[in-house]
Amino acid sequence: MSESHTGPSTAQIRRVAVASLIGSVIEQYDFLVTGIIAATIWGDIFFKLPGLAAVAAAIGVYGLGIIIRPVGAFIFGNIADKYGRKDALVWALVLMGGSTLAIGLTPTYDTIGVTAPILLVIFRLCQGISFGAEFGTASTWVVEQAAKSKYRAFWGAWVGFAIPLGLLLGFSSVIFVKSLMTEADFMAWGWRIFFFIGFLVAIVGVVIRFRTADSFLFDKLRDERHVLDFPAAKVWKDMPLRIVRTSFVNAMFSGAFFLSFVFGTSYMKAVGFTAMQAEIVGLIAAAFMLLFMIGGSLLADRLNRRTVLLTSAVIFLLFTIPYFYLINTHNIVLAAIAEIIGFGFVFGFGYGAIPSFYTENFPTRYRASGASAGYQLSQVYGGGLLPIIAGQILKDVGIHHAYLYIGCIVMVYAIAAIIAILMTPDTTKTDMHADI
């Protein structure tokens, strides 16, 4: 029986999943290591500002790279739906590699003055545009390839696996490099090593993706001449409410990521943990996140997407404030438990259903554009606006009190996600072949 009737084999699905995973890990590594460095280094070397103002500025630059993501989603989503999922992802990785290298080469404020933070912002925006292409297009590539598989959520989650794997690589590489040099050397030049590595591995990712076939559903769409002229614009015209509604779901995950990964790292240092302790705790939480993500994806296939997503959202709503109380105990074990639950479980378990949730909510003709738009729109007010607001709160009330305000804000995201999940029909049984 031909592939058009039976769909790709497990081996063919795996090849696309691996190519997507490797490229996404590289994108995640480049983007996430930037978050680690932004929270601990950039405030001192790129901004001549006192105390918390420098930290707030660095976090703000981190946030700008997230706010710009919908631009990348629109540009590369259009490329993916018109020319192919693979082509869009190859060019996105080229942009990520180039901008990451540029950040690694950017001189400090002491060397070129105010030009340094300006260049940092420009290169960070380029990273954000590239990253705006990654999730929606990579998820579409894999889930379409696995359209007839009963493990569609599991295969789609391979894109999500890139997050904990990227975190593991990011945290472990920072810890390893720091162990080889003095803190002064790390601040002066050691941090740049990660950006050079990110550039080199991006080249490898480009080659791997270039050599992998596109999804068979897109090939079918193209063969039947159903490709749209401007798919990224068309999906906004046809499905604006679906884009906005699905965006509320991921806004919660963006809030959870910022709360634990960016702000949480700075908060742990502020209450007395060393930078090394905070990074080790993050490493532990990332490892658990991967396990929870695998479990969440399998349950999303066995039960449904909504149950997994709702479980994650409710736990996040209830655990946000207790997360900080555990860290405030100054006990490293309790702090690790806080990260494992508040970050590892909340993000990992629910994210096991996210790639399939987004891709199944949009038809093939503009699936990459729709999934990217809904996902990356959430990054504006969930992942990008939150760091900027948090930076202002930090300056106004100080880090020891800021968690109450920031915690309440992300709890609102959790409530919005719960409402959006309940309003969205479950897509577990969606026939992805019926909407060519």
Side-chain angles (χ1 to χ4, degrees):
M1 190 173 287
S2 69
E3 182 180 294
S4 62
H5 293 291
T6 63
S9 66
T10 299
Q12 291 170 319
I13 296 172
R14 187 185 299 113
R15 277 196 291 271
V16 170
V18 169
S20 179
L21 172 64
I22 291 173
S24 293
V25 166
I26 294 167
E27 289 256 9
Q28 290 288 351
Y29 172 84
D30 287 352
F31 208 80
L32 297 174
V33 80
T34 301
I36 298 173
I37 300 302
T40 57
I41 302 293
W42 284 0
D44 293 325
I45 66 174
F46 286 115
F47 303 94
K48 285 295 181 181
L49 297 171
L52 287 177
V55 176
I59 291 177
V61 172
Y62 178 83
L64 287 175
I66 299 175
I67 288 178
I68 198 69
R69 287 186 189 181
V71 174
F74 188 90
I75 294 171
F76 287 101
N78 200 75
I79 293 172
D81 285 324
K82 190 170 184 179
Y83 302 105
R85 287 59 166 122
K86 181 187 75 171
D87 289 355
L89 289 169
V90 166
W91 287 111
L93 199 50
V94 169
L95 179 59
M96 176 61 81
S99 54
T100 298
L101 176 63
I103 290 176
L105 294 173
T106 301
T108 64
Y109 190 99
D110 289 337
T111 304
I112 59 173
V114 72
T115 305
I118 292 174
L119 288 175
L120 186 67
V121 168
I122 292 172
F123 299 143
R124 179 62 177 167
L125 290 176
C126 289
Q127 271 194 327
I129 290 172
S130 167
F131 207 79
E134 188 63 28
F135 170 84
T137 306
S139 297
T140 295
W141 192 19
V142 180
V143 174
E144 283 185 345
Q145 191 74 345
K148 288 194 171 184
S149 171
K150 63 180 180 180
Y151 299 111
R152 202 159 63 197
F154 169 73
W155 288 117
W158 281 53
V159 177
F161 296 165
I163 298 175
L165 290 174
L167 281 169
L168 287 168
L169 287 173
F171 274 118
S172 59
S173 60
V174 168
I175 292 170
F176 176 71
V177 171
K178 278 186 173 182
S179 69
L180 299 178
M181 62 184 66
T182 65
E183 184 174 350
D185 285 341
F186 185 79
M187 290 284 292
W189 57 269
W191 65 271
R192 297 181 186 273
I193 293 172
F194 309 109
F195 295 86
F196 301 148
I197 293 173
F199 169 71
L200 294 175
V201 296
I203 296 174
V204 177
V206 167
V207 173
I208 292 173
R209 283 184 166 177
F210 185 77
R211 293 180 174 180
T212 306
D214 218 324
S215 85
F216 89 108
L217 276 189
F218 179 78
D219 285 341
K220 181 179 179 182
L221 182 81
R222 183 163 45 195
D223 291 344
E224 296 180 4
R225 301 181 184 276
H226 291 316
V227 174
L228 301 174
D229 289 332
F230 301 104
K234 181 65 173 173
V235 72
W236 273 103
K237 180 180 179 181
D238 292 352
M239 299 183 168
L241 293 180
R242 187 173 303 186
I243 291 172
V244 173
R245 186 175 68 244
T246 56
S247 79
F248 288 140
V249 179
N250 189 64
M252 179 198 72
F253 290 98
S254 298
F257 187 89
F258 168 76
L259 190 74
S260 301
F261 177 62
V262 181
F263 178 73
T265 299
S266 299
Y267 187 79
M268 287 187 68
K269 291 171 61 181
V271 300
F273 292 101
T274 67
M276 182 69 75
Q277 286 176 319
E279 288 154 6
I280 290 174
V281 167
L283 192 65
I284 293 170
F288 275 93
M289 181 197 294
L290 179 59
L291 297 177
F292 288 134
M293 197 175 292
I294 294 171
S297 68
L298 293 173
L299 282 176
D301 281 320
R302 185 173 181 83
L303 301 177
N304 56 65
R305 294 21 170 170
R306 291 176 70 185
T307 298
V308 171
L309 292 170
L310 281 172
T311 300
S312 185
V314 170
I315 295 298
F316 184 50
L317 177 65
L318 298 176
F319 193 70
T320 296
I321 301 302
Y323 163 84
F324 287 102
Y325 279 110
L326 289 176
I327 292 177
N328 281 333
T329 63
H330 302 161
N331 184 302
I332 189 69
V333 175
L334 293 179
I337 291 173
E339 287 289 339
I340 289 170
I341 298 174
F343 188 35
F345 179 82
V346 166
F347 196 98
F349 185 74
Y351 214 89
I354 281 288
S356 55
F357 170 80
Y358 272 94
T359 53
E360 291 166 355
N361 262 285
F362 297 94
T364 306
R365 60 187 178 276
Y366 41 49
R367 177 170 288 122
S369 295
S372 296
Y375 185 88
Q376 301 300 349
L377 175 64
S378 71
Q379 303 288 4
V380 175
Y381 60 89
L385 182 60
L386 183 57
I388 295 173
I389 294 174
Q392 187 61 49
I393 292 174
L394 278 172
K395 289 192 292 185
D396 291 344
V397 304
I399 198 164
H400 291 284
H401 301 287
Y403 77 89
L404 290 171
Y405 299 92
I406 297 172
C408 288
I409 292 173
V410 296
M411 288 172 72
V412 172
Y413 289 159
I415 293 171
I418 291 171
I419 294 172
I421 294 165
L422 292 174
M423 291 179 62
T424 303
D426 188 70
T427 58
T428 306
K429 303 299 183 182
T430 295
D431 182 2
M432 297 179 71
H433 289 254
D435 57 13
I436 292 291

